[in-house]
């Protein structure tokens, strides 16, 4: 799909002010190369939505075109990030693309590219330059789902500096307030307390396991209480056989 309206040279203001095209802008992304790329993007979206389920001040999506300047030639050929997060906005799931000039000038706070043979060079070079110099995106990461290559950069004084990994090999995202790291060959989030952020399905299983543990714990406590009462009854009976009245000794 393409932009529904285009900007012609005659649509310029006398003072050379840029006049942005209006209307609906459809995402114009090519199909993802493999199912592994698709599942990784979905995983990043689902986990963040589960963790931030009480928040309405962000937008997280994947494989969606970002339109950022009708006057920059590169933007005509620009392909959207595989995954990005914009903070301080709304969770409007009806967006057909991300149009910067219709979104209060907001660019992504975090971008993650899932590398492939056909896109790796662009993601490491051209896109990295655009994210640094034009988007000014604070945190940029890339991940290769087959080789598990994983790198991250944070914007410091206008230039990307590589993020140093912790002892687990995770990289910290100041924007997300989360670690990103590899778990079972997938890129996952980890909290500041080093806990894995689950998918909704994993969270449901964990909740069910916790309920089952609580049930078993209560059952164990009930059985222990019954066993203790039974032992007291048996001891009382033996004492009575010996002629000892336990009630008088109370």
């Amino acid at each position: 799909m393409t932009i529904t309206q285009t900007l012609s040279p005659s649509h310029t203001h006398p003072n050379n002010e840029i006049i942005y095209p209006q209307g609906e802008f459809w995402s114009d992304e090519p199909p993802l190369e493999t199912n592994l790329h698709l599942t990784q993007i979905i995983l990043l979206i689902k986990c963040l939505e589960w963790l931030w389920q009480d928040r309405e001040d962000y937008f997280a999506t994947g494989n969606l075109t970002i339109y950022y300047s009708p006057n920059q030639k590169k933007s005509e050929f620009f392909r959207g990030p595989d995954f990005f997060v914009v903070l301080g906005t709304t969770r409007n799931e009806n967006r057909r693309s991300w149009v910067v000039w219709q979104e209060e000038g907001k660019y992504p706070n975090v971008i993650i590219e899932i590398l492939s043979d056909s896109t790796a060079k662009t993601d490491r070079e051209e896109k990295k330059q655009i994210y640094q110099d034009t988007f000014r995106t604070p945190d940029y990461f890339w991940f290769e789902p087959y080789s598990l290559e994983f790198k991250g950069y944070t914007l410091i004084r206008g230039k990307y500096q590589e993020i140093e990994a912790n002892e687990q090999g995770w990289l910290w995202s100041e924007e997300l307030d989360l670690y990103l790291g590899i778990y079972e060959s997938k890129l996952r989030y980890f909290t500041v307390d080093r806990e894995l952020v689950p998918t909704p399905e994993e969270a449901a299983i964990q909740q069910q396991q916790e309920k089952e543990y609580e049930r078993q714990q209560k059952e164990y406590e009930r059985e222990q209480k019954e066993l203790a009462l039974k032992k007291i009854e048996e001891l009382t009976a033996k004492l009575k056989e010996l002629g000892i009245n336990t009630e008088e000794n109370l």
Side-chain angles (χ1 to χ4, degrees):
M1 303 293 291
T2 57
I3 301 176
T4 56
Q5 294 186 19
T6 57
L7 181 65
S8 66
S10 61
H11 290 169
T12 55
H13 197 272
N15 63 3
N16 295 323
E17 177 184 353
I18 296 174
I19 305 300
Y20 290 95
Q22 301 302 313
E24 292 187 344
F25 296 78
W26 292 81
S27 185
D28 188 23
E29 298 307 300
L32 294 169
E33 293 204 5
T34 69
N35 188 60
L36 198 56
H37 287 74
L38 175 62
T39 55
Q40 176 62 77
I41 294 171
I42 291 173
L43 184 63
L44 289 168
I45 295 172
K46 286 171 61 175
C47 290
L48 195 65
E49 286 181 341
W50 182 88
L51 181 67
W52 289 356
Q53 57 190 281
D54 296 326
R55 292 181 57 171
E56 296 293 336
D57 62 344
Y58 76 97
F59 179 65
T61 191
N63 203 39
L64 196 75
T65 300
I66 296 175
Y67 293 106
Y68 60 99
S69 174
N71 282 354
Q72 288 184 3
K73 201 168 186 179
K74 282 184 181 179
S75 70
E76 296 174 9
F77 308 102
F78 176 76
R79 298 298 183 184
D82 290 322
F83 171 82
F84 67 89
V85 181
V86 183
L87 302 176
T89 186
T90 62
R91 291 183 63 182
N92 179 6
E93 297 180 355
N94 293 323
R95 290 181 175 99
R96 295 185 172 95
S97 62
W98 184 268
V99 185
V100 170
W101 59 88
Q102 294 180 356
E103 299 285 355
E104 301 179 350
K106 293 182 182 294
Y107 287 87
N109 295 75
V110 177
I111 289 175
I112 301 174
E113 294 287 3
I114 313 301
L115 303 184
S116 64
D117 291 341
S118 65
T119 66
K121 187 176 187 300
T122 301
D123 291 337
R124 294 191 186 105
E125 298 175 6
E126 181 182 342
K127 279 191 173 183
K128 181 170 176 276
Q129 202 71 35
I130 292 173
Y131 299 156
Q132 173 188 275
D133 298 338
T134 304
F135 284 25
R136 317 294 289 169
T137 293
D139 291 342
Y140 173 45
F141 302 88
W142 69 58
F143 175 65
E144 214 290 345
Y146 290 96
S147 68
L148 305 185
E149 175 189 342
F150 176 46
K151 283 193 176 184
Y153 299 85
T154 189
L155 201 64
I156 298 177
R157 292 187 293 275
K159 299 295 181 183
Y160 274 142
Q161 303 295 324
E162 189 167 347
I163 300 171
E164 185 176 349
N166 67 3
E167 58 272 22
Q168 286 89 7
W170 305 342
L171 305 182
W172 177 252
S173 170
E174 193 73 33
E175 296 295 299
L176 297 178
D177 199 27
L178 293 168
Y179 286 102
L180 282 157
I182 299 171
Y183 174 79
E184 295 184 346
S185 299
K186 295 289 192 299
L187 189 62
R188 301 289 298 267
Y189 306 109
F190 299 86
T191 69
V192 67
D193 297 321
R194 314 296 176 93
E195 295 181 354
L196 176 70
V197 176
T199 64
E201 294 82 5
E202 290 169 342
I205 292 172
Q206 183 179 354
Q207 187 178 40
Q208 187 61 37
Q209 289 174 340
E210 289 173 354
K211 286 182 179 179
E212 179 61 20
Y213 175 78
E214 290 177 3
R215 187 194 67 77
Q216 291 178 357
Q217 187 68 18
K218 288 179 180 179
E219 180 66 18
Y220 173 77
E221 291 173 357
R222 185 187 64 78
E223 290 175 353
Q224 290 298 107
K225 185 176 181 180
E226 289 180 354
L227 183 60
L229 290 172
K230 185 176 180 180
K231 286 182 178 180
I232 292 173
E233 290 173 357
E234 291 175 350
L235 180 58
T236 301
K238 285 185 178 182
L239 290 173
K240 285 183 178 180
E241 289 177 2
L242 296 173
I244 301 174
N245 190 340
T246 56
E247 293 182 0
E248 290 180 356
N249 294 331
L250 294 177

